[in-house]
Amino acid sequence: MQRNQHRRSSAIDQAVARWNAQTSQASPAPTPVRARVSRRPARLTRVTLRATALGLVVRLAQWLWLAAGLCFGLTWDALCLRSNPLSRARRVRMTFQRAGGTLVKLGQQLSLRADLLPYQVCDELRQLLDRAEPIPWEVARAKVSAQVGKLEDAFASFDPEPIGSASVACVYRAVRHDGRAVAVKVLRPRAREVFGADLTLLHLCLVPAEWLMLLRSGQAANLVQQLRTMFEEELDLRSEARYQELFRQAVRKTRVRYLSAPAIHFDLSGADVMVSDFAEGLACDRVLAAVEEGDTAVLEQLASQQIDPRTVAKRLLKGWNWQVFQFPIFHGDPHPANILVQPGGHLVLVDFGACSYFSDRGRALLRNVQLHMLAGDFRAMASAAMGLLEPYPPIDVDRFGEELELLYARYMHAAQSDHAEWWERATSKIWLDFIQLARKYMIPVSLDTLRLFRATFLLDTVVFRLDPDLKLAGVYRAYLRQEDRWLRRKYLRHGLIDRSGQPLISEQRLQSGVALFDKIGE
């Protein structure tokens, strides 16, 4: 135990030392050597996922082998009287795990579909580790050189050993000629072709399920199209770079001082390569491990750097509310490994490949759910949440509403209790029940709502594990006060209120006036 504490303390000291060295450089940086960039106008390009005939045959053979192994394992469990929902879900997860690469990513995305798959299967698929063999260095070097020109002209040094290796891309560390450390994300070769083959095969597998009335007509095509749209964005690193840039702009504009993201180097980035500042800091899962293990040595090290796990939890939750209600998009994968904690409790988000949108109507309904929760009105909460599922298929809406009210009543009772477990007070619990009830009534749920559910589930779990005694109502009220200050500054800047905060026009027109000003070019 002492050895583990020493290792964690050393890791924290090293991370903090690197962060301090990066932020305290006082000497002027040398003149950077710019990579050669073409001056010709860029041509219109679009990332598409297409499968070749050979790719389909090879991938089909892999799928059949994996399917045969899964069927044998399930049959063996049944013969040995060991078959149960948990064991079957574990078999499914292990099949995706062994497949690796694209099927790992596909399994992660299918874990969102709690409206289509049993909960045990979704829960197991969420445990998939997105790890893969590194890209061969010569292949990665060729892809980077195709984007930036000669590697020596763009970078002063480039570490050939990746610091991260996932099913979609590998991440390397490099240093530019101006001394700035950067992270270089390189898309895997033929990743789009493999994804295209998998999506085509998935559609072919789901069509018989429609014929057998296991899925509603058109549901297979709709699911595959949603996945295709999502994967096309994730496999175009230009989209990730743009989302990350917009996030940084919005943070500066709103003055959320405890939140940031690494700056993008657009002169070196493209569809297959993305270069950003190298973010120093401790991964949030290390802070989480120290809290749950009661590691006093590590907690003391964190305290010496003004990192309080309870403050981190509150800032994560307030930052999440800001994303959902003030930012056009939200980070769809707030996993602890994608959250870096710097001295002073400053939070840096990385990996914006899985961002998503939420409509104005959805935001309004979600805000009503939140406000009714603060008021303790579970019936109004259920009524507002029902709007997220409209339009309904032919169901008994009154009965569905009654069951939803019962779910929210149980959640409110747990949230108001001083002796309930943390997972009973987390909003992830009510989201799980909400999605399961929708699945029971065969109500389709939009992909954006499901991604919001997944992101909320991940973030809520992290927040309550960092601070099991956290009171959601207090954090929400603090966020609303902060939001009020942001809106007042915005209204004042547009001349819609005076210095005393009194509206110059009717309250009903304030928001529409701001939207108009923003639209015409702030």
Side-chain angles (χ1 to χ4, degrees):
M1 183 64 181
Q2 291 179 352
R3 183 179 300 173
N4 291 337
Q5 290 178 350
H6 176 71
R7 288 177 179 173
R8 292 197 189 96
S9 300
S10 299
I12 292 173
D13 290 338
Q14 292 172 7
V16 171
R18 288 196 302 269
W19 186 83
N20 289 334
Q22 184 184 38
T23 56
S24 62
Q25 292 178 351
S27 57
T31 303
V33 178
R34 294 185 177 274
R36 184 175 57 193
V37 180
S38 173
R39 297 297 180 184
R40 291 177 296 176
R43 297 180 60 187
L44 175 65
T45 58
R46 181 185 175 186
V47 168
T48 56
L49 305 182
R50 296 178 180 176
T52 63
L54 179 60
L56 280 175
V57 172
V58 172
R59 203 59 174 162
L60 178 60
Q62 294 174 342
W63 278 38
L64 291 175
W65 176 258
L66 292 169
L70 177 61
C71 291
F72 176 81
L74 294 175
T75 304
W76 182 256
D77 285 345
L79 293 175
C80 296
L81 303 179
R82 296 184 309 198
S83 181
N84 56 65
L86 183 59
S87 68
R88 292 192 292 270
R90 188 173 291 116
R91 287 282 185 184
V92 173
R93 190 260 301 169
M94 291 172 62
T95 300
F96 280 94
Q97 190 86 49
R98 293 192 184 100
T102 306
L103 284 183
V104 170
K105 180 62 68 175
L106 189 60
Q108 290 175 338
Q109 300 302 329
L110 289 176
S111 71
L112 300 174
R113 302 314 305 239
D115 60 329
L116 297 179
L117 301 175
Y119 168 70
Q120 291 89 344
V121 175
C122 292
D123 188 52
E124 279 292 328
L125 291 178
R126 275 192 287 270
Q127 300 178 35
L128 284 169
L129 299 177
D130 195 4
R131 297 174 181 172
E133 289 295 321
I135 302 174
W137 167 237
E138 292 303 322
V139 176
R141 181 187 177 98
K143 290 181 75 72
V144 176
S145 298
Q147 175 63 38
V148 306
K150 289 184 178 180
L151 217 61
E152 296 76 12
D153 291 343
F155 304 103
S157 64
F158 199 109
D159 188 353
E161 289 296 325
I163 58 176
S165 181
S167 60
V168 171
C170 283
V171 181
Y172 299 83
R173 179 168 180 162
V175 179
R176 297 198 65 172
H177 288 283
D178 61 0
R180 295 173 68 181
V182 293
V184 183
K185 188 171 186 178
V186 183
L187 194 71
R188 287 188 174 276
R190 299 190 65 253
R192 299 186 185 104
E193 290 81 356
V194 174
F195 267 87
D198 280 352
L199 289 175
T200 301
L201 292 174
L202 178 63
H203 184 257
L204 294 176
C205 291
L206 291 178
V207 166
E210 288 188 357
W211 295 342
L212 297 173
M213 305 298 289
L214 299 176
L215 295 175
R216 289 186 299 274
S217 177
Q219 197 168 28
N222 183 52
L223 171 62
V224 172
Q225 183 56 44
Q226 288 178 337
L227 291 173
R228 183 179 298 276
T229 300
M230 187 164 47
F231 285 149
E232 284 179 349
E233 278 200 351
E234 192 167 350
L235 292 170
D236 185 354
L237 297 185
R238 294 171 299 187
S239 295
E240 180 176 347
R242 187 169 298 118
Y243 289 145
Q244 196 161 315
E245 177 196 26
L246 293 175
F247 184 86
R248 283 176 54 82
Q249 290 176 355
V251 164
R252 289 197 301 268
K253 183 177 179 181
T254 317
R255 302 177 188 176
V256 185
R257 303 188 187 281
Y258 53 81
L259 202 60
S260 67
I264 299 294
H265 297 237
F266 281 96
D267 58 325
L268 300 179
S269 301
D272 293 346
V273 176
M274 188 186 80
V275 181
S276 64
D277 281 350
F278 190 87
E280 295 283 1
L282 293 173
C284 190
D285 52 5
R286 292 200 177 196
V287 182
L288 197 59
V291 172
E292 293 185 331
E293 295 175 11
D295 197 331
T296 55
V298 175
L299 292 174
E300 288 176 1
Q301 287 284 334
L302 294 174
S304 68
Q305 299 299 322
Q306 298 180 335
I307 298 176
D308 180 7
R310 293 173 298 180
T311 301
V312 171
K314 291 176 182 177
R315 287 180 172 180
L316 281 173
L317 192 55
K318 287 195 294 185
W320 174 246
N321 276 273
W322 171 77
Q323 289 184 64
V324 173
F325 295 117
Q326 295 294 318
F327 188 47
I329 59 177
F330 59 87
H331 194 299
D333 191 20
H335 189 275
N338 292 336
I339 304 168
L340 301 180
V341 185
Q342 294 180 342
H346 185 82
L347 306 175
V348 181
L349 300 186
V350 297
D351 194 356
F352 283 76
C355 288
S356 190
Y357 303 88
F358 209 51
S359 67
D360 288 340
R361 179 177 178 275
R363 289 182 179 188
L365 290 170
L366 202 60
R367 183 180 291 278
N368 285 338
V369 172
Q370 183 188 85
L371 294 176
H372 292 314
M373 184 190 71
L374 293 178
D377 190 343
F378 63 86
R379 289 187 176 86
M381 287 177 68
S383 177
M386 287 180 67
L388 295 172
L389 300 176
E390 294 176 348
Y392 296 106
I395 63 169
D396 188 339
V397 178
D398 291 336
R399 184 178 175 184
F400 172 73
E402 291 174 359
E403 290 196 43
L404 190 60
E405 283 186 10
L406 181 60
L407 292 181
Y408 275 101
R410 290 173 178 170
Y411 170 74
M412 287 300 301
H413 296 156
Q416 294 169 354
S417 172
D418 293 330
H419 303 285
E421 298 291 342
W422 68 265
W423 50 266
E424 295 179 283
R425 293 182 284 110
T427 56
S428 53
K429 174 66 169 61
I430 192 62
W431 270 107
L432 280 173
D433 293 340
F434 178 78
I435 296 296
Q436 285 185 307
L437 185 61
R439 182 173 178 268
K440 173 184 175 181
Y441 281 85
M442 300 186 68
I443 302 175
V445 183
S446 70
L447 184 61
D448 285 339
T449 299
L450 287 168
R451 294 185 77 171
L452 180 69
F453 148 68
R454 178 180 183 270
T456 303
F457 182 89
L458 284 173
L459 193 79
D460 244 22
T461 302
V462 174
V463 164
F464 275 94
R465 288 167 66 192
L466 286 171
D467 183 7
D469 298 325
L470 181 74
K471 298 295 185 181
L472 282 179
V475 178
Y476 285 153
R477 290 190 178 95
Y479 166 75
L480 291 175
R481 289 192 295 269
Q482 192 175 39
E483 184 185 64
D484 181 67
R485 291 193 295 270
W486 292 335
L487 293 177
R488 284 181 178 275
R489 280 202 304 267
K490 195 172 187 179
Y491 293 155
L492 180 62
R493 186 168 64 249
H494 291 310
L496 300 177
I497 63 174
D498 59 24
R499 290 284 179 180
S500 64
Q502 297 301 315
L504 299 177
I505 59 176
S506 65
E507 290 280 358
Q508 291 79 6
R509 300 187 62 186
L510 282 177
Q511 189 62 46
S512 60
V514 171
L516 177 61
F517 276 111
D518 286 342
K519 186 176 181 180
I520 62 178
E522 182 190 11

